[in-house]
Amino acid sequence: MITPTNVLNQKPSEKDALVLQLANYNLPQFVLEKIANKCNSDLVRKGKITTILGSMNESALALLHKIFVQCEDDEAGEFSDYRFGVFISSRVHSKLMLDQTLAGKSGAAYRVKVAVFGDQGLIAVGENKPKGEKVSADELLQFNEMVKDVSRSNDGQNLLYAFYGSSVGYEKGFSKAFVGNRKTKTPVNKYGYSIPKTITLLEFRDKNTNHVFSASF
């Protein structure tokens, strides 16, 4: 049987092209669910990534492309938060949730952009600043105190990682926010070892993620 030339040379549809591009970005389920909700799209929960993406409508795929391929920003800073969440999910492979409220040992309640939960409870938190002035030492001091307070709570004793992301840079002298932090570790696990607890500062610029600073907590 001879296949007509026009079929052989047929270009993929716009939707197929978006699916093929986005399939390379290893997008986690929580992001796909958020975008599907926002765009009133269907979403298959299981199968190959191309099947899952292919179940979404063109509006959802176009928005994903805008956020992760073109790295565009919106007025609310939500697109940057999604990219920040995906970065953390690539480093900490557990259940990630956005916009969570956590309790500290002091009794204070803290709203965080990202919280990651494993078998032993809370293991990572993250805060992101997508717009505005450069991150100040005072802002980082508040973040540092929040992380330490949460890590001392019953729910936070296995907290390992804290990430602060910025798309606007950091003011000079920001590191003074972490002066006095002592090196601490998690309780000994079932394998007989404990892990150092670390705060990591990141900067997102020109589609790149740069490590800026690390401190113990």
Side-chain angles (χ1 to χ4, degrees):
M1 179 179 176
I2 299 174
T3 305
T5 304
N6 65 333
V7 174
L8 283 173
N9 294 331
Q10 189 176 36
K11 292 182 179 180
S13 68
E14 186 175 344
K15 179 175 179 176
D16 290 339
L18 288 170
V19 167
L20 289 173
Q21 268 195 297
L22 292 166
N24 295 317
Y25 281 76
N26 197 26
L27 300 175
Q29 190 71 18
F30 80 90
V31 166
L32 299 180
E33 289 174 357
K34 288 270 188 183
I35 299 301
N37 251 356
K38 186 182 286 287
C39 297
N40 297 315
S41 172
D42 291 332
L43 178 66
V44 168
R45 261 45 180 201
K46 294 182 179 179
K48 293 181 178 179
I49 186 61
T50 49
T51 302
I52 294 170
L53 289 168
S55 71
M56 302 177 80
N57 63 30
E58 284 196 41
S59 294
L61 293 172
L63 184 55
L64 286 169
H65 189 273
K66 188 179 289 187
I67 295 170
F68 295 103
V69 180
Q70 297 171 268
C71 290
E72 291 188 12
D73 289 309
D74 62 327
E75 282 297 317
E78 194 174 31
F79 294 179
S80 177
D81 289 342
Y82 286 141
R83 291 191 292 269
F84 179 61
V86 168
F87 174 84
I88 293 179
S89 73
S90 73
R91 295 299 183 91
V92 187
H93 305 288
S94 293
K95 183 181 179 182
L96 187 149
M97 300 178 73
L98 298 176
D99 298 317
Q100 296 297 298
T101 299
L102 305 174
K105 184 179 180 180
S106 67
Y110 303 98
R111 190 75 172 172
V112 296
K113 294 279 187 184
V114 174
V116 184
F117 298 88
D119 294 337
Q120 303 300 316
L122 181 69
I123 56 175
V125 295
E127 192 58 60
N128 184 45
K129 187 172 184 179
K131 54 192 295 186
E133 301 296 324
K134 290 183 177 182
V135 180
S136 68
D138 286 343
E139 288 173 291
L140 292 176
L141 182 61
Q142 290 176 16
F143 178 71
N144 188 34
E145 292 303 319
M146 178 275 289
V147 169
K148 290 191 287 188
D149 192 20
V150 169
S151 72
R152 294 181 187 123
S153 70
N154 289 333
D155 293 336
Q157 63 177 337
N158 288 298
L159 180 63
L160 278 174
Y161 312 105
F163 299 92
Y164 197 106
S166 171
S167 298
V168 292
Y170 294 87
E171 287 185 357
K172 289 181 179 179
F174 67 83
S175 60
K176 67 183 180 183
F178 305 101
V179 172
N181 279 26
R182 293 183 300 169
K183 186 174 182 179
T184 57
K185 295 183 177 182
T186 58
V188 175
N189 62 22
K190 62 182 179 181
Y191 302 108
Y193 63 87
S194 57
I195 303 170
K197 301 181 175 187
T198 308
I199 292 174
T200 301
L201 305 189
L202 304 163
E203 185 173 15
F204 302 105
R205 288 290 175 95
D206 301 322
K207 301 185 181 181
N208 294 315
T209 303
N210 301 310
H211 176 273
V212 175
F213 182 81
S214 291
S216 301
F217 70 88

